[in-house]
Amino acid sequence: MRLELVRVITLSITGFDAPLLKSGLDEAHVSLQTIETVLRPYMAHAGNDSVRRSLASCEAWLTDHRDFDTFDHLRFLTEHALPLQEQLGGMIAGMGLEINEKGVLNYRAKNIFSPDILNMNAFRKNAGGDSALTELGRKLFFETRLSANGTRSCASCHNPALHFTDGLPKSNGIHPGQATRRNAPTLLYSSFQHAQFWDGRSATLEDQVRAVIHDSLEMNGKPIETIRKLARSRSYRRLIRKVAPDRRDVNDTLVYRAIAAYVGTLKPFNSNFDRYMAGDRAALTDGQKRGFNLFMGKAQCGTCHFAPLFNGLIPPLYTLTEFEILGTTATDDLEHPQADADSGRFETRPTPYYQRAFKTPTVRNAAVTAPYMHNGAFASLEKVIDFYDRGGGAGLGLDVPHQTLAAEPLNLTDQEKSDIIAFLEALTDPL
């Protein structure tokens, strides 16, 4: 029942299952009626009127508000669905029925938008917050000696001052005048994924760090030699001894673990949107509220950028990271669209379904992390939204046989596009 309620909150009301039919609100209503039927004996046993009242208020709201394009998702969530989620959790705990505690969801969190809703251990083993390992990782993150010529570090492409991006379409590589293959996305919230890189070729952050350091275009490093040299220096000796008291453990794996541990801490959850969902009702402007409703409704953004991370982590189980085929163009000149040559996930998973498929990134901090897309070809959010509004590559007339984005136009007005951008600005975490 918990999972079904998460499904209602994150999928049904966004129209995920049938975005063109816009039948999600009716599905949500039936789901809530079913939840009520299943919970009826439990509510009677617990004598819990709060759950019953919240279920009734959710159903009543859905009965009175049937138009998908004008549905007020924000009010439904904050006034009805999220209180129901909190009260259901309290009833289950009060009855001693908390039997599933090993999944991705943390059922002790207040609701789906609480910063602690996802269990980090479900994404990384032993992600409990080893402070010494994290401190070492923070230092190594800025360590240029990990690169072959001592000029590049992780922070070269993921600058904290730029929300852990570099502001370039494609990052500068280790060789002068040679760029990397793809855009460097933000590292904020990157630990909440089951696949790393745009094409998902690495399953863990540790594997991603390993790949970047060894990549001949990016750092071309020899980490096992570097970490042993660093271990002899005064600035590193204390940190390394804390996490690797046995000299045999001072190896390249330590580098990958430490940097991954640091990246795992990059989950601030302190945007205006987060403040609003935590109870500060002055944190969002009217335009940002309208933008959220469009994002979750008519504009169909929430059918791929799933709440609460607004990335490709698929609810309600959150055990898979999604890849989409958008028909992304080589430039943001949509009047003269050209197909991008990058085959994406197909390179590592050679099936037609993955031809030109790329991981769905988070849009948290999207307002300050331009340029966009895997190729960095889109200079502004206005261009990105116009691309989606026109149905992606297929909607622009390109041949994209397996496009997962509907090719039909969304018919967004200029005001609606501005409101969506306003909402995305509300997802910016202050530095």
Side-chain angles (χ1 to χ4, degrees), residues 242-410:
K242 278 186 177 182
V243 296
D246 189 329
R247 288 186 178 182
R248 290 173 295 184
D249 293 329
V250 181
N251 53 35
D252 57 338
T253 301
L254 178 62
V255 175
Y256 314 140
R257 288 177 50 230
I259 295 176
Y262 169 60
V263 174
T265 67
L266 305 179
K267 43 185 176 61
F269 289 106
N270 61 1
S271 69
N272 285 347
F273 173 78
D274 295 304
R275 288 173 44 222
Y276 185 92
M277 300 308 281
D280 181 0
R281 294 298 181 253
L284 294 181
T285 66
D286 289 343
Q288 289 169 338
K289 294 175 187 177
R290 293 193 301 269
F292 174 80
N293 289 331
L294 287 161
F295 185 97
M296 298 290 280
K298 178 182 176 181
Q300 300 179 17
C301 312
T303 62
C304 293
H305 296 277
F306 305 110
L309 273 299
F310 303 111
N311 66 359
L313 194 63
I314 307 173
L317 295 175
Y318 296 100
T319 54
L320 292 173
T321 294
E322 187 172 70
F323 296 81
E324 295 283 352
I325 301 170
L326 307 177
T328 304
T329 49
T331 73
D332 62 4
D333 181 1
L334 304 185
E335 302 307 318
H336 307 90
Q338 300 175 27
D340 186 77
D342 194 330
S343 59
R345 190 161 172 76
F346 184 81
E347 292 181 7
T348 54
R349 296 287 190 277
T351 65
Y353 179 77
Y354 285 131
Q355 182 63 254
R356 300 171 69 185
F358 295 92
K359 185 176 64 178
T360 303
T362 181
V363 293
R364 283 177 174 269
N365 298 293
V368 290
T369 53
Y372 307 102
M373 305 300 198
H374 70 275
N375 54 7
F378 286 65
S380 68
L381 285 174
E382 286 81 1
K383 286 288 188 179
V384 173
I385 292 175
D386 194 27
F387 171 78
Y388 283 109
D389 183 47
R390 295 167 72 168
L396 291 167
L398 297 179
D399 181 22
V400 191
H402 299 286
Q403 181 168 304
T404 53
L405 175 70
E408 289 77 5
L410 296 170

Side-chain angles (χ1 to χ4, degrees), residues 73-306:
H73 294 76
L74 197 57
R75 284 192 63 188
F76 174 72
L77 290 173
T78 56
E79 297 178 13
H80 304 282
L82 299 184
L84 170 59
Q85 188 179 26
E86 182 179 357
Q87 290 151 8
L88 176 60
M91 186 184 81
I92 292 171
M95 297 181 70
L97 296 177
E98 292 186 311
I99 58 175
N100 180 9
E101 300 180 358
K102 295 183 179 180
V104 177
L105 288 173
N106 170 25
Y107 287 136
R108 289 183 174 82
K110 185 177 180 181
N111 62 53
I112 194 69
F113 289 101
S114 299
D116 59 344
I117 187 61
L118 301 174
N119 291 315
M120 280 303 300
N121 282 325
F123 299 90
R124 294 184 54 248
K125 293 180 180 179
N126 304 315
D130 185 326
S131 58
L133 188 65
T134 299
E135 187 180 356
L136 174 61
R138 186 192 308 271
K139 193 172 179 65
L140 289 170
F141 188 84
F142 297 92
E143 181 55 74
T144 57
R145 283 174 285 185
L146 286 173
S147 64
N149 60 8
T151 64
R152 310 293 292 170
S153 71
C154 302
S156 298
C157 298
H158 301 284
N159 184 347
L162 298 176
H163 286 76
F164 292 88
T165 64
D166 59 11
L168 300 173
K170 296 177 182 177
S171 300
N172 295 320
I174 193 170
H175 307 295
Q178 189 173 28
T180 57
R181 288 190 62 204
R182 295 175 181 141
N183 175 261
T186 179
L187 292 185
L188 294 171
Y189 307 100
S190 63
S191 54
F192 294 111
Q193 298 173 124
H194 298 292
Q196 302 294 338
F197 290 113
W198 281 102
D199 56 12
R201 64 184 182 275
S202 288
T204 66
L205 281 172
E206 288 83 355
D207 288 344
Q208 182 186 40
V209 173
R210 181 198 305 268
V212 169
I213 292 177
H214 285 279
D215 191 291
S216 60
L217 284 178
E218 299 195 46
M219 296 179 75
N220 199 29
K222 297 180 179 179
I224 190 167
E225 296 178 9
T226 303
I227 191 63
R228 287 173 178 169
K229 290 178 182 177
L230 295 176
R232 294 195 292 268
S233 68
R234 178 176 298 179
S235 62
Y236 276 98
R237 190 180 305 132
R238 175 186 60 85
L239 285 174
I240 291 175
R241 283 179 177 173
K242 278 186 177 182
V243 296
D246 189 329
R247 288 186 178 182
R248 290 173 295 184
D249 293 329
V250 181
N251 53 35
D252 57 338
T253 301
L254 178 62
V255 175
Y256 314 140
R257 288 177 50 230
I259 295 176
Y262 169 60
V263 174
T265 67
L266 305 179
K267 43 185 176 61
F269 289 106
N270 61 1
S271 69
N272 285 347
F273 173 78
D274 295 304
R275 288 173 44 222
Y276 185 92
M277 300 308 281
D280 181 0
R281 294 298 181 253
L284 294 181
T285 66
D286 289 343
Q288 289 169 338
K289 294 175 187 177
R290 293 193 301 269
F292 174 80
N293 289 331
L294 287 161
F295 185 97
M296 298 290 280
K298 178 182 176 181
Q300 300 179 17
C301 312
T303 62
C304 293
H305 296 277
F306 305 110

